Amino acid sequence: MSSQIKAPNELPILKGSTQSTGSSNTKKGKLAPELLEKIKSSVNIIEIIGEHVVLRKSGANYNGLCPLHSERSPSFSVNEIKQLYHCYGCKAGGDVVTFVMAVLGVSFQEAVEELADRGKVALPGDWQGKSDDPAQESKNIAQREKLATAYKLNRFSAAFYHQRLSSHPRALEYFKNRGVGVDLSQSFYLGASPDSWDALASHLVSKQAPLNLATELGLIRPSIKEGGLKRGPGYFDLFRNRAIFPIVNLRGKVAGFGGRVLGEDTPKYLNSLESLVFQKGKLAFGLYQAQKYIREKDEVILVEGYFDVLAMHAAGFQNTVATCGTSLTPEHLAILGRFCSRIIILFDGDQAGVSATERAMEIGLDQGCVLFGAQMPKDLDPDEILFDPQSGRFRPEGYEQMSAILKSASALLDSEIESAIRTSGQSPEDKTLALKKIGKWLGRFKDPIGREVRMQMVHEQMGISMRLLQDALGKEKSALGKERPALERNNSAAQVIRPNGPIKPARVIKGNKVGKASKAVEMGQLDRILLAGIFAGGRCLELFLDAANRLPPQTIQIELFDYVPAKEFISTLLVDSDSLERLRISPKSLLINGLDEKIRIALTSSLVALEPEKGPDDFQLALSKSIAKVWARFSQRIKIAISEAEIGKDTDLQARLMKEYLDVQRKMKEFSSFYDEA
């Protein structure tokens, strides 16, 4: 098994498609649990995970470095028998579906389609939504078939270009001089289009490919002679005498192509046409190959061109991607944000590069994201720094220079604000212009905390009042149709008259499950031990079910938990006999889409572990402590009721409650040694 990301032509997802795939925003049909199990059984989790990390056998499990976070010592464990994984470092865990979702950054539906494709399992016809209108449903089916054929046609064309690379000396030399070796060429499935009018078109005609669709995808165009007669195959190639860069989506499917001219033709760079599979505002070149490294470093480097990506990868900066001939979009940020928290834009120092970076910064602000910027030396590209332009040899000093450039990256928003403050001078006009710029940026910033912090900094460094700064932001927000500045909202809120007395905690109601809203986001130690024992089954599960007899009147086991999602999960087990039976027979069947992350972690940790982390004695101790907490809360409620009866001068009720309170106190003595939280 290899830790290297495989080239697209080596991946099963590029070897054909057994069912259609559709847009991720299409409403999906339901999937029967039996079919989902069949899909998961059609693949081996060891093989799937083995494509992203080196796994070594250790007892009943396979261990390796976690592909979902950066670590030096292996803490990632996969159990082939149970077909589950769990990382003891980042706590990620689940089955093969959740792994594909996490590692590829795709939805549950997309992950299921991916695995069904690999396992050659047909999905039901209404998987992607079924219309009640027969005519509309027929159109939907045709659209799905067209989508699958489009990907297949792009893959077929990518193979054509890749095979032609070895017979294109100029393309080979061009790649070599930029540090692109055989391995990198294979990983990115690079190619070359012949210096011919209709090489691809003739190939598609000979293979009886759908020419109309090839035209729609921007691979070929109709060719007409004077007099209206077709010439040759009747079509000509759009990519002629160019270095070819297949643009692969996160599922490993070829969405389109970029081509760099190798002669005197124009334009210098050419991309596929916008189509049902190629929307350049939603794609990033190199992201499929870089995603593992981006996740490891929690950082992505965004460069301008395709060759920049290749040079950076060849030099060891493998967390690098590029947009596909377009400026940065909100969709790009949303996709990159699935893999990391830090985005560095490596930009040229000329005016065009500075302007493009400022636009990118503003798009980031609209999304509540602060981008980082690192400036390249003037008139130099990454490949010119990292590799000798004549021989293509790696330049160690270039690597050090690039490392220093990236290390100097700073938050673009903060750099722009500091620059505006420096140039504000002392004149009122200078300060006015600087304040308007800063107001424009902060007014667009959707992160209220980050905005407030920077407002305070500007207030202190420029010596202007907060009211004036709020006015500058308010004008920008009004122009954008946004909400008022956060500080202004806070000032208004301070004048609201609040009701007397403490505010009662909100109640969480879901179906027939009711519980107090938890103050803590994290799951407590007692909750974790209880869940682990329940998932382990056997004696621990029976003790938990029997605990109903040890609780106060009209109280059920969900009150043993403080973590609200755990209350809801346990409530489902208690009221649904099928769910309880599934827990007894096959606990991993509870790993369903939408399961709370912390509960999923507890479940996978319990299932993957060779031996339980906590034994029955630990479980029984945690159970007793939790029961004691329930009785303590019950006792407190009785005390409150006694006080209310006293205020209402209801002596009979007060007497009954006092008797009940004493009974509860005697009951609580059973748990007197368990009052302290473990």
Side-chain angles (χ1 to χ4, degrees):
M1 297 173 187
S2 172
S3 61
Q4 297 295 317
I5 294 179
K6 297 184 178 182
N9 67 319
E10 296 174 329
L11 291 172
I13 49 180
L14 289 180
K15 290 182 179 177
S17 179
T18 58
Q19 81 278 335
S20 305
T21 56
S23 173
S24 59
N25 61 4
T26 303
K27 186 177 180 181
K28 308 292 183 180
K30 292 184 178 180
L31 191 67
E34 297 79 10
L35 182 55
L36 180 58
E37 285 302 318
K38 182 179 179 181
I39 292 170
K40 291 193 287 188
S41 300
S42 69
V43 296
N44 190 332
I45 195 171
I46 298 296
E47 295 178 1
I48 301 295
I49 294 180
E51 292 175 359
H52 301 272
V53 62
V54 175
L55 294 174
R56 292 183 173 86
K57 193 77 159 49
S58 176
N61 290 348
Y62 289 80
N63 297 329
L65 295 173
C66 180
L68 305 177
H69 83 287
S70 180
E71 62 178 6
R72 295 184 179 180
S73 300
S75 63
F76 187 78
S77 184
V78 188
N79 188 294
E80 185 172 19
I81 296 174
K82 297 177 181 177
Q83 291 287 294
L84 296 172
Y85 71 94
H86 183 79
C87 177
Y88 294 94
C90 69
K91 306 303 181 186
D95 58 15
V96 67
V97 176
T98 56
F99 179 81
V100 172
M101 289 171 64
V103 81
L104 296 185
V106 296
S107 67
F108 172 77
Q109 289 84 0
E110 290 170 316
V112 168
E113 290 171 353
E114 173 67 29
L115 294 171
D117 198 22
R118 297 180 69 141
K120 303 295 186 290
V121 177
L123 288 168
D126 62 347
W127 164 244
Q128 292 174 319
K130 188 172 183 179
S131 174
D132 294 332
D133 182 358
Q136 183 60 47
E137 179 59 17
S138 179
K139 289 181 181 179
N140 293 344
I141 293 173
Q143 182 68 8
R144 291 194 288 266
E145 291 176 350
K146 181 180 180 181
L147 187 69
T149 305
Y151 280 124
K152 186 175 182 180
L153 186 54
N154 273 342
R155 184 189 70 249
F156 184 78
S157 301
F160 172 83
Y161 292 134
H162 186 65
Q163 291 163 5
R164 298 306 181 279
L165 178 60
S166 60
S167 58
H168 201 306
R170 189 165 184 179
L172 287 171
E173 182 183 7
Y174 205 87
F175 282 125
K176 178 185 174 184
N177 291 346
R178 284 154 180 78
V180 180
V182 175
D183 290 343
L184 197 63
S185 175
Q186 185 70 12
S187 176
F188 281 81
Y189 209 43
L190 302 175
S193 58
D195 188 8
S196 166
W197 184 256
D198 53 17
L200 176 62
S202 297
H203 185 62
L204 294 177
V205 169
S206 68
K207 298 298 183 181
Q208 299 181 343
L211 302 179
N212 288 339
L213 183 56
T215 303
E216 187 178 331
L217 295 176
L219 296 169
I220 59 175
R221 280 185 181 167
S223 174
I224 305 295
K225 274 187 175 181
E226 291 184 11
L229 298 174
K230 289 186 177 181
R231 55 184 301 182
Y235 294 85
F236 67 91
D237 299 351
L238 261 71
F239 295 98
R240 301 186 302 277
N241 194 29
R242 291 178 180 268
I244 299 295
F245 308 86
I247 299 167
V248 182
N249 65 21
L250 283 172
R251 293 180 61 190
K253 295 183 181 294
V254 180
F257 300 91
R260 202 278 186 194
V261 70
L262 296 172
E264 303 302 322
D265 200 3
T266 56
K268 183 177 179 181
Y269 280 95
L270 184 66
N271 287 316
S272 292
L273 300 178
E274 290 282 307
S275 68
L276 73 166
V277 296
F278 184 77
Q279 296 97 35
K280 59 186 178 182
K282 300 179 180 179
L283 292 164
F285 176 70
L287 181 56
Y288 177 77
Q289 291 84 358
Q291 56 184 299
K292 168 189 172 183
Y293 306 99
I294 294 171
R295 190 180 284 108
E296 285 179 354
K297 297 177 182 291
D298 193 28
E299 175 184 276
V300 62
I301 304 167
L302 191 62
V303 295
E304 183 179 354
Y306 302 140
F307 273 116
D308 296 339
V309 172
L310 296 177
M312 293 288 282
H313 276 251
F317 302 98
Q318 293 155 303
N319 56 324
T320 304
V321 303
T323 56
C324 302
T326 184
S327 56
L328 191 69
T329 66
E331 289 80 9
H332 285 136
L333 292 180
I335 293 169
L336 296 175
R338 300 178 193 171
F339 299 97
C340 64
S341 61
R342 180 179 165 99
I343 300 174
I344 297 178
I345 298 179
L346 193 60
F347 63 95
D348 296 335
D350 58 17
Q351 186 56 46
V354 172
S355 298
T357 304
E358 183 175 332
R359 287 195 300 272
M361 177 196 76
E362 292 178 349
I363 292 172
L365 295 178
D366 289 341
Q367 308 305 310
C369 172
V370 174
L371 305 182
F372 288 73
Q375 185 172 329
M376 287 285 295
K378 190 175 180 181
D379 299 327
L380 281 179
D381 292 327
D383 62 282
E384 295 172 310
I385 292 177
L386 297 167
F387 296 92
D388 185 286
Q390 302 301 322
S391 64
R393 286 197 297 269
F394 176 66
R395 299 177 63 245
E397 65 275 18
Y399 177 86
E400 297 298 328
Q401 183 181 358
M402 182 60 72
S403 298
I405 291 171
L406 294 171
K407 191 174 181 180
S408 69
S410 59
L412 290 172
L413 175 60
D414 297 337
S415 298
E416 292 288 352
I417 290 175
E418 290 167 3
S419 176
I421 292 174
R422 284 196 304 269
T423 58
S424 65
Q426 297 300 318
S427 73
E429 185 60 24
D430 288 340
K431 279 195 174 183
T432 299
L433 292 175
L435 185 57
K436 285 181 178 179
K437 281 186 178 180
I438 295 170
K440 171 187 173 184
W441 297 324
L442 292 182
R444 299 182 69 155
F445 195 14
K446 283 193 174 179
D447 178 3
I449 297 176
R451 184 169 63 230
E452 298 286 347
V453 169
R454 288 164 176 84
M455 286 177 67
Q456 187 65 37
M457 180 187 74
V458 173
H459 161 66
E460 294 172 356
Q461 294 188 18
M462 289 189 70
I464 59 174
S465 69
M466 290 298 288
R467 173 58 60 186
L468 184 59
L469 184 54
Q470 289 173 21
D471 287 344
L473 267 70
K475 290 177 181 178
E476 175 64 21
K477 283 181 168 289
S478 297
L480 294 172
K482 306 293 184 183
E483 75 277 7
R484 292 175 299 154
L487 279 179
E488 185 179 337
R489 296 197 308 273
N490 290 346
N491 290 339
S492 299
Q495 301 172 14
V496 175
I497 300 175
R498 300 190 181 279
N500 294 327
I503 299 174
K504 295 182 179 180
R507 297 185 72 79
V508 177
I509 304 176
K510 186 173 182 180
N512 59 352
K513 303 174 281 289
V514 182
K516 295 271 184 171
S518 175
K519 294 180 180 180
V521 175
E522 296 299 322
M523 182 189 294
Q525 177 73 356
L526 287 179
D527 284 10
R528 282 195 293 270
I529 295 174
L530 291 181
L531 284 174
I534 292 168
F535 293 144
R539 173 65 176 157
C540 292
L541 178 58
E542 297 309 318
L543 285 171
F544 174 76
L545 295 176
D546 290 342
N549 299 320
R550 302 171 62 192
L551 294 173
Q554 299 180 346
T555 305
I556 60 175
Q557 290 96 321
I558 64 171
E559 296 300 331
L560 295 169
F561 295 86
D562 294 323
Y563 186 56
V564 173
K567 289 176 179 283
E568 297 173 351
F569 179 80
I570 294 300
S571 178
T572 300
L573 290 180
L574 295 175
V575 301
D576 183 1
S577 58
D578 289 341
S579 295
L580 185 58
E581 190 64 19
R582 285 165 56 201
L583 172 62
R584 294 181 189 275
I585 299 174
S586 177
K588 75 173 186 177
S589 66
L590 299 175
L591 285 168
I592 57 175
N593 184 39
L595 183 65
D596 177 77
E597 180 183 1
K598 294 181 177 63
I599 296 176
R600 175 181 52 75
I601 289 171
L603 177 54
T604 56
S605 176
S606 174
L607 293 175
V608 171
L610 298 179
E611 293 183 1
E613 184 179 355
K614 302 287 185 180
D617 292 342
D618 297 307
F619 178 83
Q620 193 160 4
L621 179 62
L623 183 62
S624 294
K625 288 182 177 181
S626 297
I627 293 173
K629 287 172 61 178
V630 173
W631 277 102
R633 289 195 293 265
F634 185 70
S635 172
Q636 186 63 27
R637 288 198 294 269
I638 296 176
K639 285 182 68 176
I640 293 172
I642 291 172
S643 298
E644 292 175 349
E646 185 178 2
I647 293 171
K649 298 181 179 180
D650 189 338
T651 55
D652 291 340
L653 176 59
Q654 188 177 357
R656 289 198 302 272
L657 289 173
M658 279 299 300
K659 181 179 182 303
E660 187 174 353
Y661 178 72
L662 294 174
D663 290 340
V664 169
Q665 291 300 303
R666 285 192 290 270
K667 182 73 174 177
M668 287 177 61
K669 288 181 180 179
E670 301 176 17
F671 312 106
S672 58
S673 60
F674 303 126
Y675 281 160
D676 297 330
E677 180 81 17

